[in-house]
Amino acid sequence: MSKQPNKTISRLRLVRRIAIGLAALILVAVVAVIAQQRLADSPRTGTAPEVKIGGPFALTDHTGRQVTEKDFQGKAMLIFFGYTYCPDVCPTSLTEISAAMDKLGPLADKVVPILVSVDPERDTPEVLKDYVAHFHPSIVGLTGTPEQIKQTAKAYRVYYAKVTDKDGDKDAYLMDHSSVIYLMGPDGKFLTHFSTQTDAETMAAKIKSLL
Ligand SMILES: [Cu+2]
């Protein structure tokens, strides 16, 4: 074998190595660019935009005490809006909330479930006191003047409306209302929400993961 073909082979090898090296470099660069773009496009990375739910309120609790959001500071509020005459949604939610509280163990001390009445006309503090006692000792019932309720519901983006009885019985009305259950952090800021379909197990697990 002459020297010439050997030289050609080694040169070919060198060229091939350089080509592989360049290809690898290009691949790394492309992957880096794609990864960076994905990060930039994703709304879930970095600081998430703050959800504007909740805020100041002034209401009366089921013991007749005047309270504001400051009275619950340092505790997470599991807050939802309803009324004691509610035939289905509210009792179901309160049952699941009560069971979730029991599943929280020692963490339950840091959570206060709150029912804000959207029916202040019938839900006096006394009526609320009797009602919440059926569910869990930690549940706080809140009511107030129609204006106070309106302000609070607005802060929590809750809808409610009176549905008058077809037979004209003015005391037998129902209240149509949003049924979302909010979990507000110890700083009063929105953490997450649950629906009336959320079972106690799921609710407790989520609360544990967030507090
Ligand atoms: Cu209800």
Side-chain angles (χ1 to χ4, degrees):
M1 226 185 252
S2 72
K3 272 184 176 177
Q4 206 53 33
N6 259 344
K7 244 185 181 174
T8 310
I9 285 164
S10 61
R11 203 178 288 155
L12 272 173
R13 275 190 187 146
L14 185 67
V15 167
R16 200 166 63 186
R17 272 185 199 158
I18 290 170
I20 289 169
L22 275 175
L25 271 178
I26 289 165
L27 188 68
V28 166
V30 166
V31 167
V33 167
I34 289 171
Q36 209 161 28
Q37 272 176 349
R38 286 243 175 113
L39 277 176
D41 290 346
S42 171
R44 270 183 271 278
T45 54
T47 49
E50 203 180 296
V51 183
K52 291 272 180 251
I53 284 171
F57 59 76
L59 296 164
T60 305
D61 78 5
H62 64 269
T63 68
R65 198 168 65 107
Q66 306 293 309
V67 295
T68 71
E69 77 288 350
K70 292 192 177 74
D71 290 289
F72 302 100
Q73 243 167 28
K75 282 198 174 195
M77 296 188 291
L78 197 54
I79 189 168
F80 90 107
F81 292 66
Y83 67 115
T84 64
Y85 286 76
C86 183
D88 40 39
V89 171
C90 294
T92 307
S93 301
L94 284 169
T95 303
E96 291 306 316
I97 287 172
S98 301
M101 289 300 287
D102 288 338
K103 284 175 196 299
L104 283 178
L107 196 63
D109 291 341
K110 291 179 177 171
V111 181
V112 54
I114 299 172
L115 164 68
V116 181
S117 174
V118 292
D119 185 16
E121 218 178 291
R122 292 182 296 194
D123 288 342
T124 61
E126 296 75 34
V127 170
L128 277 173
K129 190 180 178 184
D130 275 353
Y131 187 69
V132 296
H134 289 302
F135 298 97
H136 198 273
S138 66
I139 298 174
V140 173
L142 296 180
T143 188
T145 65
E147 189 53 37
Q148 287 175 324
I149 297 297
K150 196 175 142 188
Q151 291 297 323
T152 312
K154 197 179 163 194
Y156 281 86
R157 302 182 182 218
V158 162
Y159 156 86
Y160 64 99
K162 191 187 264 190
V163 184
T164 40
D165 182 58
K166 282 195 287 289
D167 303 325
D169 183 350
K170 70 175 176 58
D171 293 325
Y173 61 88
L174 292 175
M175 296 298 295
D176 195 11
H177 67 90
S178 311
S179 56
V180 56
I181 302 160
Y182 296 109
L183 178 67
M184 311 296 289
D187 57 357
K189 286 186 180 146
F190 173 85
L191 285 179
T192 191
H193 66 89
F194 304 106
S195 82
T196 47
Q197 271 84 50
T198 311
D199 60 88
E201 195 94 36
T202 312
M203 205 183 285
K206 185 80 183 174
I207 294 170
K208 275 182 186 169
S209 77
L210 290 169
L211 296 183

